[in-house]
Amino acid sequence: MRILVVGKGGREHALVRALSESPGNPELFCFPGSDAIFETAKPVDADGLESLVAWMKSNAIDLCVAGEESYLVKGVGLANLCAKEGIPCWGPPKESAQLEASKEFAKEFLLRNGIPTARATATATKDEAVAAIAGEYPTVLKFDGLAAGKGVAVCPDETSALDFLDEVFTQQRFGPGRVLVEQCLTGPEVSIFAAIVDDGYLVFTPARDYKRALDGDAGPNTGGMGAVASRRLISEDLLKQIDLEIVGPTVSSLAKDGLPYRGFLYFGLMLTPDGPKVIEYNCRFGDPECQAVMPLVTGDLAGFCLAGAKGELEPDLISFDDGWSVCVILASAGYPESSRSGDVIRGLETEGDFRVYHAGTRKNAEGAWETNGGRVLAVVAGAPERAEAVEKAHQAAAGIDFDGSQRRSDIGRLHFE
Ligand code: AMP
Ligand code: GLY
C-alpha cells in the first residue's frame, strides 16, 4: 500500500510513524513534510494542491491522509480533488470542513441539530458585537475563520472585549470576517476524536491538551504545550453520555444535512455543570493530542484508514491500549510570541522507553538536528498508570535540551491531583 500524508508537524510525524508500524509495510510519502518525517516517509515533488494530486495519481497512491486542516479548505479542497481523481482520502471534503473553517457554520450546525453548545450571536460590526455582549462578562469572542489558533478571546471585561473587537474589525488582523459573541462556559476541557465513515464512527482514546504556555495554566495561549491520553481520562458513564448526546447526533446530523464525512473529527468539549458541551469541531486529529494517542493504538491503522476512505468502517482492525500516555512539548525561545530557529538540539540520541516526535526541527549542514519553529519536539511515554507515564515522559524530556528550551513541568499532573 502506498500512502501519502499531508502536513509537516508533530501530529504528522506521529501519524506517519503509526502508519509505518501497520502490518504489510506500507510505503509512505509526505507533503510538505520535514527532515524528521523524511526518515520514514519519502518527500514529494509538488508545489500546490493541484500538482500534489496529479503526483498522487501518476504515482499510484492508494490513500491520502489529511493531517493538517488547511489543505482541506484551500482552493477546491484536498479531498474534493482526490475524489475527482478516484484517490481514497482520509479527511472530509471542503463543504464539511467548514465545521472547522467557519465558527458560524459550526454554530448553526450545532444549534440546528440540538447538539449541546454555548449560546452565540453572529455579528458583523463592532457595534453589533457590543450590543450582543449586552454587558455580560466574561464573554467569548470568536473570529469566524481560520486564525491559526489566535481567533478566540475569552474576555473578562469590557476593555479586553473592545481591544479584541478593534483587532478584528478595525485592524482586520485576520482579514475580513464576522465575530461570534458566545456565552462563556466553565469546566474542564476534554478532546474527543471520532473516526467517521459516513453514518458510522469509532471513538478513539480521549485526551486533554494543555494550551497555556506556563505551569498552572498561566501565560498566553499556545498551540499546545503537552497532552495526556487514556480511556480512563473520563468515566465510562461520561464517555457514554458524550457518545449519546454529542458524537452520535453529530454523525447522524452530518448525514442528514448532506455533509459527507470520512476522516477524523475532533470534538473540543467543555464538561460544564450542565453536562458536556461542544466548544469547537476540528476536521483532523488534535496536535499534540495525536502524539499522545497514537502510541496507544495497535493493529492496522493504515488498513483502517484505507477502508474508511473507501466507505467501510472496520473497527476490528485496530485496538486501544488501556494505559496512559503523556506528551511533553519542548518549545523554542520566545514561543508563543515569537520563535527562534537554529539552536542545536542535544540529547536526541538517547534511547529509552519513550518516543520523540519532531514538530519544528531541521538538519543543519553538519547533519545535526536544530530547532526550526515554535514547538520543536514532543516527548511521549506510556505506562499502565498515569503517575508512571508522567514520570517517564518528564524524565525523558529533561534529557533533551537546546538553548532557550521551554517546557511545562505539570503536564499530566495538573487537573488530576
Ligand atoms: P476554540 O478555538 O474555539 O477551541 O477556543 C480556544 C479556547 O478558548 C478553548 O479551548 C477554550 O479554552 C476557550 N473557549 C472557547 N469557547 C469558550 C466558551 N464558550 N466558554 C469558555 N471558554 C471558551
Ligand atoms: N490541540 C488543539 C488543536 O489541535 O487544535
Side-chain angles (χ1 to χ4, degrees), residues 274-305:
D274 301 329
K277 297 193 179 187
V278 176
I279 49 177
E280 66 166 342
Y281 288 121
N282 292 309
C283 297
R284 48 161 178 87
F285 226 98
D287 186 338
E289 292 98 319
C290 188
Q291 294 90 308
V293 171
M294 282 305 143
L296 297 172
V297 179
T298 49
D300 186 1
L301 183 68
F304 176 84
C305 295

Side-chain angles (χ1 to χ4, degrees), residues 196-346:
I196 300 180
V197 180
D198 305 330
D199 55 358
Y201 64 93
L202 175 70
V203 174
F204 274 49
T205 309
R208 173 166 293 147
D209 72 347
Y210 292 79
K211 291 197 173 81
R212 300 299 187 111
L214 306 173
D215 277 7
D217 281 347
N221 251 322
T222 71
M225 292 298 287
V228 52
S230 173
R231 268 281 171 209
R232 288 175 278 149
L233 186 72
I234 54 176
S235 71
E236 276 300 317
D237 282 350
L238 181 56
L239 193 55
K240 267 193 209 134
Q241 186 186 0
I242 289 169
D243 197 346
L244 205 69
E245 295 177 5
I246 292 174
V247 183
T250 297
V251 175
S252 56
S253 302
L254 284 168
K256 174 181 74 59
D257 289 356
L259 295 168
Y261 210 105
R262 291 177 186 171
F264 292 120
L265 181 61
Y266 166 155
F267 299 72
L269 305 183
M270 199 166 266
L271 307 176
T272 77
D274 301 329
K277 297 193 179 187
V278 176
I279 49 177
E280 66 166 342
Y281 288 121
N282 292 309
C283 297
R284 48 161 178 87
F285 226 98
D287 186 338
E289 292 98 319
C290 188
Q291 294 90 308
V293 171
M294 282 305 143
L296 297 172
V297 179
T298 49
D300 186 1
L301 183 68
F304 176 84
C305 295
L306 177 64
K310 289 179 166 174
E312 297 293 332
L313 181 68
E314 301 272 11
D316 295 341
L317 287 179
I318 53 175
S319 54
F320 302 98
D321 187 305
D322 198 35
W324 289 80
S325 178
V326 172
C327 164
V328 177
I329 295 286
L330 273 69
S332 71
Y335 182 74
E337 285 81 13
S338 62
S339 70
R340 200 169 76 193
S341 293
D343 293 307
V344 170
I345 305 168
R346 298 174 287 269

Side-chain angles (χ1 to χ4, degrees), residues 103 107 118-119 140 142 149 151-154 182-186 189 209 211 221 266 268 270 278-282:
K103 304 245 181 229
K107 188 58 75 174
R119 276 184 286 109
V140 181
K142 299 186 171 181
V152 175
V154 180
E182 194 167 290
Q183 169 198 16
C184 189
L185 303 176
T186 53
E189 293 181 42
D209 72 347
K211 291 197 173 81
N221 251 322
Y266 166 155
M270 199 166 266
V278 176
I279 49 177
E280 66 166 342
Y281 288 121
N282 292 309

